[in-house]
Amino acid sequence: GAGVSQTPSNKVTEKGKYVELRCDPISGHTALYWYRQSLGQGPEFLIYFQGTGAADDSGLPNDRFFAVRPEGSVSTLKIQRTERGDSAVYLCASSPYGGTNTGELFFGEGSRLTVL
Amino acid sequence: AQKVTQAQTEISVVEKEDVTLDCVYETRDTTYYLFWYKQPPSGELVFLIRRNSFDEQNEISGRYSWNFQKSTSSFNFTITASQVVDSAVYFCALGEAAGNKLTFGGGTRVLVKP
């Protein structure tokens, strides 16, 4: 499809397990963002990639969270030793350029993570 | 620090009524950007508008209109003659001029009843 694709759409895991969430941005978009949305709240910024490099990872809550984008396209958000508080919808967005002053972000439908 | 407040958590209207969503923001930046996004039940946020801090002109797009008032740090959104398809959660967001992240408000759920 032409939009941002995220897999899995739903992931249930046990506390302490490792999870990976994948994002396929719109083809040609150099900027990629990860946001986290807890129930009933607005999305919170996690990390921003421009090309292959993480240009801003100031939103990652702690060192259990890590994200990569090795070829400047697909990105994977990795969460180690999951905790119940990590339960949320993880949203990926892409943009042709980057930075909030350049226009709209195109969001995927999110990956809902539930940690039991 | 940047902050966005959407005081209304939920608004319920009957189809064809107008509905106004409030958004108040806080920032120390002189240059910044304001956004509205719509999140339907599918979960995908859909961009509606972007406004920079230097442009206080109100904007109208079809049934949507936006009122930006820098003096009160508000960027309100009105849906005229609401329709059932307008039912969604609407988020206001604030972007840094030189940064890369959006700060979102808590969202307002709009329910339009037929």
Side-chain angles (χ1 to χ4, degrees), chain B residues 6 8-15 17-22 36-41 48 63-64 77-91 107-113:
Chain B
Q6 294 181 253
Q8 307 144 308
T9 55
E10 184 167 325
I11 300 175
S12 182
V13 297
V14 176
E15 207 169 18
E17 288 183 343
D18 298 347
V19 55
T20 295
L21 311 181
D22 298 333
W36 276 95
Y37 280 84
K38 173 182 180 180
Q39 189 174 42
L48 296 179
R63 296 185 297 106
Y64 295 168
F77 170 35
T78 297
I79 303 172
T80 302
S82 60
Q83 300 176 1
V84 173
V85 293
D86 295 327
S87 296
V89 181
Y90 291 85
F91 291 97
T108 298
R109 180 178 300 279
V110 173
L111 177 60
V112 181
K113 300 176 183 177

Side-chain angles (χ1 to χ4, degrees), chain A residues 33 35 37 48 100-101 105, chain B residues 37 39 50 96 100 102:
Chain A
Y33 305 77
Y35 282 79
Q37 186 175 19
Y48 157 63
T100 57
N101 59 356
L105 300 184
Chain B
Y37 280 84
Q39 189 174 42
R50 166 182 165 266
E96 307 164 337
N100 308 292
L102 298 181

Side-chain angles (χ1 to χ4, degrees), chain A residues 29-106:
Chain A
H29 282 193
T30 59
L32 185 146
Y33 305 77
W34 284 98
Y35 282 79
R36 178 169 71 173
Q37 186 175 19
S38 299
L39 189 64
Q41 298 182 21
E44 294 177 306
F45 171 81
L46 295 177
I47 188 169
Y48 157 63
F49 287 90
Q50 183 58 255
T52 61
D56 184 351
D57 65 358
S58 61
L60 294 178
N62 51 59
D63 60 6
R64 295 187 299 105
F65 288 75
F66 189 70
V68 296
R69 195 185 185 200
E71 297 178 358
S73 177
V74 171
S75 176
T76 304
L77 178 65
K78 308 180 180 192
I79 311 174
Q80 299 177 324
R81 304 183 304 280
T82 52
E83 299 177 357
R84 292 194 180 87
D86 298 336
S87 297
V89 176
Y90 289 82
L91 296 167
C92 179
S94 69
S95 175
Y97 308 107
T100 57
N101 59 356
T102 56
E104 64 185 283
L105 300 184
F106 297 82

